């Protein structure tokens, strides 16, 4: 796995050998005045639907922090006594996923995996994400079919819009340039890995902001979108949040804040596709659809159902595992519905995009778009970070309009779906 505080100077890291091309030199260390937080690992976000084997780096605690990096402060209300719950990302990863994959494929897909977990998945988590919504299924299907009508197959779409897979050195170069644009070189530990449940995940590892990127998803035209999602949205809003009076659980209650999601993930997902020529919301749409179907179907039936949209059996397996994670006996209907938040948040933000103050939404931290106007007078806005791609707000808004048009959405439909 590669590791670095953007970067360590070695793109390959242990087990990958020496790089074949010169890689970026290490950046200067950040200023020492960064806020501090308790040690430990917390998952902040995850991008995409990729699934990698269960013995991944996150599961081994293999995401290593670099020295002299800013800390993301955690409010007192977020700290609890006693034993911490395991990271959700780890708890939901079946430890026997590779063995069950082999068994599933040997059975010609006529088998429902029996997943095992290193620790019991918290009941509160399963209860929270145990029910799927069908509110936006029609829109999800339309987006998926629009992509297939244009490109024929998902695989053709991926190659045509994502471009070629990048080498480690090319990935480091893109990351460094992006960090420079956001003015945060040296602030985030970056890991390159082939063992990840998602395409990318933003974590706090040993009190350091840490971004793990799945090498299998690092494509030429998609990588910067992934960085806009994780760094330009999650990280920047997180840093701004530490300065606000609602940075703790008590503060959120005091100011009667709505949950950060679906705004947080919807905004990040829009930023993933923001400047693509064809900004299709395929991934968010397919995740939404897959989870709704998983709530009604067994694993094997879900796998068969997805064949109409995804021919590649490996890709279908990944989507099914993601939708069924948390389950032990996947012969039963059931889902883990968290990934529906992406399309849900996207559509809500697009519906209200003409009235949302997007730079303020970034500056105020982890808040819902619904709370922005009333929180403005209470927010600490001095020295707030605004993503570089929001600086030209006219261009930013035109890109949001382009996303609406490309995905076959329209204002009337959005207003009917989400009335005031």
């Amino acid at each position: 796995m590669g590791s670095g505080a953007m970067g360590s100077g070695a793109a390959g890291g242990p087990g990958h050998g020496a790089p074949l091309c010169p890689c970026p030199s290490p950046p200067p260390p950040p200023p020492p005045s960064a806020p501090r937080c308790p040690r430990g690992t917390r998952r902040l976000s995850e991008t995409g639907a990729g699934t990698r084997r269960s013995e991944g780096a996150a599961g081994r605690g293999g995401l290593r922090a670099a020295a002299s990096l800013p800390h993301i402060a955690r409010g007192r209300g977020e700290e609890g006594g006693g034993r911490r719950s395991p990271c959700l990302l780890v708890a939901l990863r079946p430890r026997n996923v590779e063995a069950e994959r082999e068994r599933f494929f040997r059975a010609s897909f006529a088998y429902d995996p029996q997943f095992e977990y290193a620790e019991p998945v918290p009941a509160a988590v399963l209860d929270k994400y145990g029910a799927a919504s069908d509110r936006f299924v029609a829109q999800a299907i339309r987006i998926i079919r629009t992509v297939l009508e244009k490109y024929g197959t998902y695989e053709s779409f991926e190659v045509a819009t994502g471009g070629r897979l990048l080498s480690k050195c090319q990935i480091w170069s893109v990351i460094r340039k992006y960090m420079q644009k956001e003015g945060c070189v040296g602030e985030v530990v970056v890991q390159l890995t082939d063992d990840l449940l998602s395409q990318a995940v933003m974590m706090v590892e040993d009190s350091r902001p840490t971004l793990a990127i799945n090498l299998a998803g690092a494509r030429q035209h998609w990588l910067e979108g992934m960085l806009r999602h994780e760094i330009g949205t999650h990280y920047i809003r997180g840093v701004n949040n530490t300065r606000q009076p609602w940075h703790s659980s008590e503060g959120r209650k005091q100011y009667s804040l709505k949950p950060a999601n679906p705004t947080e993930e919807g905004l990040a997902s829009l930023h993933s596709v923001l400047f693509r020529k064809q900004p299709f919301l395929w991934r968010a749409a397919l995740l939404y659809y897959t989870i709704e179907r998983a709530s009604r179907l067994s694993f094997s039936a879900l796998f068969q159902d997805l064949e109409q949209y995804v021919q590649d059996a490996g890709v279908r397996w990944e989507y099914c595992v993601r939708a069924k994670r948390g389950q032990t006996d996947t012969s039963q209907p059931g889902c883990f519905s968290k990934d529906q938040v992406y399309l849900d948040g996207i559509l809500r933000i697009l519906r209200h995009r003409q009235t949302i103050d997007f730079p303020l939404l970034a500056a105020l931290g982890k808040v819902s778009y619904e709370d922005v106007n009333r929180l403005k007078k209470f927010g600490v806005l001095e020295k707030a970070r605004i993503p570089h791609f929001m600086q030209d707000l006219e261009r930013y808004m035109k890109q949001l309009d382009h996303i609406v048009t490309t995905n076959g959405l329209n204002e009337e439909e959005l207003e009917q779906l989400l009335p005031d």
Side-chain angles (χ1 to χ4, degrees), residues 8 32 46 65 72 76 88 114 121 134 142 146 160 182 279 298 301-302 319 359 395 405:
S8 66
E46 55 183 325
I72 294 181
R76 288 172 297 173
L88 184 62
Q114 303 296 299
V121 180
D134 63 359
R142 187 191 314 147
T146 301
E182 297 295 8
S298 68
L302 176 64
Y319 274 90
R395 182 186 182 215
T405 303

Side-chain angles (χ1 to χ4, degrees), residues 110-129:
Y111 166 72
D112 292 304
Q114 303 296 299
F115 288 136
E116 299 172 358
Y117 300 89
E119 296 189 45
V121 180
V125 171
L126 295 179
D127 289 344
K128 182 177 181 180
Y129 297 113

Side-chain angles (χ1 to χ4, degrees), residues 30-216:
S33 58
R36 302 185 65 86
C37 76
R39 293 177 63 83
T41 300
R42 292 184 295 131
R43 184 180 60 84
L44 298 182
S45 71
E46 55 183 325
T47 303
T51 305
R52 292 294 176 239
R53 60 183 179 270
S54 63
E55 306 90 333
R60 291 194 303 263
L63 298 182
R64 299 185 305 280
S68 304
L69 294 176
H71 300 239
I72 294 181
R74 179 165 61 180
R76 288 172 297 173
E78 294 179 53
E79 298 177 28
R83 183 176 177 273
R84 275 194 308 117
S85 297
C87 171
L88 184 62
L89 184 68
V90 176
L92 288 171
R93 181 185 292 108
R95 65 183 178 185
N96 64 335
V97 68
E98 282 299 304
E100 289 299 279
R101 186 185 191 278
E102 292 179 11
R103 187 171 179 180
F104 179 77
F105 277 77
R106 282 200 309 268
S108 300
F109 317 138
Y111 166 72
D112 292 304
Q114 303 296 299
F115 288 136
E116 299 172 358
Y117 300 89
E119 296 189 45
V121 180
V125 171
L126 295 179
D127 289 344
K128 182 177 181 180
Y129 297 113
S133 170
D134 63 359
R135 186 173 189 177
F136 305 122
V137 165
Q139 287 69 39
I141 292 174
R142 187 191 314 147
I143 292 167
I144 294 167
R145 289 178 175 171
T146 301
V147 170
L148 296 180
E149 286 171 6
K150 183 174 180 64
Y151 295 97
T153 65
Y154 166 75
E155 291 75 22
S156 298
F157 162 73
E158 188 176 63
V159 172
T161 64
R164 68 182 186 277
L165 287 170
L166 299 177
S167 68
K168 293 191 186 78
C169 286
Q170 289 170 328
I171 294 170
W172 283 120
S173 177
V174 172
I175 294 171
R176 182 176 180 84
K177 289 176 182 176
Y178 184 84
M179 296 291 193
Q180 289 172 339
K181 291 178 185 178
E182 297 295 8
C184 60
V185 172
E187 295 183 8
V188 179
V189 182
V190 178
Q191 296 280 353
L192 305 183
T193 176
D194 55 7
D195 287 316
L196 200 60
L197 189 68
S198 309
Q199 286 201 344
V201 59
M202 192 77 191
M203 305 177 72
V204 174
E205 170 73 9
D206 291 333
S207 303
R208 315 292 189 183
T210 302
L211 173 62
I213 295 176
N214 194 330
L215 287 166

Side-chain angles (χ1 to χ4, degrees), residues 245-313:
W246 46 80
H247 69 274
S248 67
S249 297
E250 291 92 341
R252 296 188 73 86
K253 291 177 183 176
Q254 179 183 346
Y255 287 88
S256 301
L257 263 62
K258 296 180 183 298
N261 272 320
T263 295
E264 178 79 14
E265 294 296 354
L267 186 66
S269 297
L270 285 169
H271 291 163
S272 293
V273 303
L274 193 62
F275 296 113
R276 294 183 190 175
K277 292 180 180 178
Q278 299 291 330
F280 285 109
L281 299 165
W282 165 277
R283 194 176 301 280
L286 188 57
L287 282 169
Y288 193 96
Y289 172 83
T290 302
I291 288 166
E292 193 279 331
R293 298 304 292 158
S295 70
R296 304 169 183 264
L297 300 173
S298 68
F299 190 105
S300 56
L302 176 64
F303 187 87
Q304 183 177 359
D305 182 87
L306 287 184
E307 188 175 12
Q308 63 184 310
Y309 301 131
V310 181
Q311 282 69 54
D312 187 299

